[in-house]
Amino acid sequence: MAVDERQKSLCPILGRPALTRTLDTCRAFGIRHFILIAGFGYRDVLRHVGLEDPGITFLYQEQQLGTGHAARLAARYLQSQGYHGDVLVVMGDKFITRRGFARLLRDHAARRPHLTISTASKQAWPDSGRVLMDAAGQVQAIIEKPDLVQSRWLRDFYHWPADPVPCPPLLDLALRYWNRPEKWKKLLGPDLWEALQTQPAIPKNNGWLPKPEDALRFAVTPALSLSGQEIEEQCGQVNISVYIFQSAPFYQTMEQLRPNNAQGELYLTDAVLELTRACHSHNYCVLASAMPHDYDIMGFNTREELDFIERSILEKGLLDEDETDPRP
């Protein structure tokens, strides 16, 4: 939280810290053992949850190397303890209703997949990773929004009827796909992004394009590949990042994570992607659990997103039955 010095998970949602809400929701369903991983602001987290709770194990993340690194610390601890049950993975900066949590637990228990992921509609969360499923509800692939829009834009560039390609409509097209200029600079590279804004046209053979035309389709299964446009047309659900793993694939994928990104971090979503890719060769089952309400799970990274969560809870009636409306 750029303007807030407190640990993000302790930011209040309608008067109660986000972490408190998450822990209380889990306890309401009988979960008694928690592993909390914190780096920045860990002293505040310790003071908040207390050191005397026998159900909480605290792990210090000395280097903040991403969500996957935090989960890896938990995986190594659980494996060292000989744990072989299910593992719920949730960020401390989430709001989760009991209704949504109940659906996730019920779906996982009914099918016993190797991994269950929570999903909501693409219309509600347009920037989240697209979840492609087969007719039985098993996840075939997750395509992240940046990869998707990059692929769609590059295909349009390669198929443009004129050469050189005029820049104004190219720029308009990019912002129509994703109105995030700061993201496009990373997706296309600074040279191409600057050219789009300063030159009248760009030749197709320019040396700036991040991918060749034959690399723009996404391998959904060994026998199926789709274009970015086809994925958008077929996909209605997105990943909203609460997970239940069986322990064996959790341990395995946490060790396979690599920092193959601009920030040099380990991403938890890469473990999900690894399982969806491996399901075709290792018989893994990854299940999507669609939330009863699109806003049953919400997360925040900014003050504005936190304000949005509070408004949504009040406007959509998402408080649990044993909570009172904090409005006067």
Side-chain angles (χ1 to χ4, degrees):
M1 307 291 283
V3 296
D4 197 333
E5 291 302 318
R6 81 183 74 197
Q7 217 279 350
K8 186 169 68 164
S9 67
L10 299 181
C11 289
I13 298 176
L14 294 176
R16 295 175 60 203
L19 179 59
T20 298
R21 287 182 172 276
T22 299
L23 291 172
D24 288 348
T25 298
C26 292
R27 288 181 175 121
F29 287 86
I31 297 175
R32 295 290 177 263
H33 186 198
F34 302 91
I35 300 173
L36 297 185
I37 298 96
F40 171 80
Y42 73 93
R43 290 185 177 88
D44 292 335
V45 174
L46 285 174
R47 281 193 292 267
H48 179 77
V49 301
L51 294 174
E52 306 304 321
D53 189 330
I56 295 179
T57 298
F58 177 80
L59 300 180
Y60 176 54
Q61 189 182 20
E62 184 175 4
Q63 294 179 289
Q64 278 85 79
L65 299 178
T67 55
H69 178 253
R72 177 183 285 178
L73 295 178
R76 288 177 175 176
Y77 171 78
L78 287 171
Q79 196 166 19
S80 74
Q81 300 300 304
Y83 179 76
H84 298 294
D86 289 337
V87 182
L88 169 71
V89 181
V90 59
M91 314 305 165
D93 56 1
K94 293 283 188 184
F95 170 81
I96 309 175
T97 66
R98 294 183 187 178
R99 171 182 57 192
F101 198 75
R103 171 68 63 83
L104 182 68
L105 293 175
R106 185 173 70 245
D107 287 349
H108 186 76
R111 295 278 297 273
R112 297 301 303 157
H114 295 87
L115 168 64
T116 301
I117 69 171
S118 56
T119 67
S121 77
K122 181 174 64 176
Q123 288 71 27
W125 306 105
D127 285 352
S128 298
R130 277 52 172 155
V131 178
L132 290 164
M133 294 173 280
D134 62 19
Q138 182 164 333
V139 177
Q140 296 177 302
I142 298 176
I143 309 299
E144 298 297 337
K145 178 68 175 278
D147 298 325
L148 185 68
V149 295
Q150 182 196 60
S151 172
R152 295 186 70 188
W153 186 90
L154 287 172
R155 184 185 184 281
D156 291 334
F157 180 89
Y158 283 119
H159 287 259
W160 203 274
D163 188 4
V165 184
C167 287
L170 278 177
L171 184 59
D172 290 343
L173 191 64
L175 297 178
R176 192 171 78 232
Y177 284 156
W178 204 16
N179 192 17
R180 300 284 295 275
E182 74 284 359
K183 297 291 187 181
W184 277 110
K185 184 177 180 179
K186 294 180 180 180
L187 291 174
L188 299 180
D191 293 335
L192 180 54
W193 182 243
E194 182 180 359
L196 284 177
Q197 299 173 86
T198 60
Q199 297 186 20
I202 299 175
K204 290 189 176 181
N205 185 17
N206 57 55
W208 292 329
L209 298 172
K211 286 184 180 180
E213 186 176 2
D214 60 5
L216 298 183
R217 295 180 69 84
F218 296 91
V220 177
T221 72
L224 176 65
S225 66
L226 297 174
S227 69
Q229 181 175 349
E230 289 170 331
I231 288 171
E232 283 288 55
E233 291 171 352
Q234 295 184 24
C235 174
Q237 292 284 300
V238 296
N239 176 27
I240 51 175
S241 302
V242 177
Y243 312 100
I244 304 178
F245 288 84
Q246 289 188 24
S247 57
F250 179 60
Y251 300 154
Q252 174 187 337
T253 54
M254 289 307 108
E255 294 303 326
Q256 292 174 337
L257 294 178
R258 297 293 180 268
N260 299 321
N261 54 75
Q263 298 186 81
E265 295 184 350
L266 302 179
Y267 292 160
L268 180 59
T269 49
D270 286 348
V272 181
L273 294 171
E274 185 65 30
L275 277 183
T276 59
R277 292 191 189 106
C279 67
H280 312 294
S281 57
H282 292 78
N283 203 31
Y284 285 130
C285 175
V286 180
L287 180 70
S289 175
M291 292 295 96
H293 192 291
D294 282 334
Y295 298 90
D296 277 332
I297 296 177
M298 296 182 280
F300 60 92
N301 287 305
T302 66
R303 181 73 245 181
E304 291 74 20
E305 291 172 349
L306 187 57
D307 292 340
F308 173 81
I309 288 176
E310 293 187 328
R311 289 197 308 272
S312 298
I313 292 171
L314 297 176
E315 293 171 1
K316 302 177 188 304
L318 300 177
L319 288 173
D320 291 319
E321 292 181 358
D322 59 352
E323 289 192 76
T324 57
D325 189 330
R327 292 175 295 184

